[in-house]
Amino acid sequence: MKQYLISIYQPDGGAPPANIDEIMRELEQLNDEMRAAGAWVFAAGLHAPSTATVLRAKGADVLITDGPYAEGREHIGGFTVIAAADLDEALEWGRRMARIITLPIEVRPLQDG
């Protein structure tokens, strides 16, 4: 089975929705279904982009800067890695997650390593 990254994009700033507890319960139910199906590999939420540290090689030095690599109006707020037979199966898990979270979801295959 191939592995896929399901990224959750959320807008910068803004407060969580009023029904965040319901969303989190439904998301945990989906994670349980993915585990039961053998699809769930790993999931995590991320702190705000302002907590990021970026490292850039410049010649023999490595420059360290605070903040996200790219400024934008959205950032990756969390992700799930799944195992799926093909892209169609991965997209179905992504669709179900998008319906629960109501935020943009990106599904991308991981390179074979």
Side-chain angles (χ1 to χ4, degrees), residues 21-110:
D21 292 336
E22 177 186 343
I23 290 170
M24 295 308 293
R25 275 192 307 276
E26 289 181 24
L27 184 58
E28 190 55 37
Q29 288 174 350
L30 179 62
N31 286 340
D32 288 343
E33 288 181 45
M34 286 190 274
R35 285 182 190 100
W40 191 88
V41 175
F42 181 78
L46 299 173
H47 287 280
S50 61
T51 66
T53 303
V54 178
L55 302 137
R56 284 188 182 91
K58 188 161 188 146
D61 294 327
V62 175
L63 303 176
I64 299 173
T65 57
D66 291 333
Y69 171 71
E71 294 294 328
R73 290 177 287 196
E74 294 179 327
H75 61 274
I76 296 176
F79 63 90
T80 301
V81 176
I82 63 167
D86 54 30
L87 180 59
D88 290 336
E89 183 180 325
L91 290 173
E92 184 54 35
W93 289 117
R95 277 186 198 92
R96 293 183 63 193
M97 189 176 291
R99 286 185 192 111
I100 292 168
I101 297 176
T102 68
L103 292 171
I105 301 290
E106 177 183 293
V107 177
R108 187 186 306 186
L110 279 93

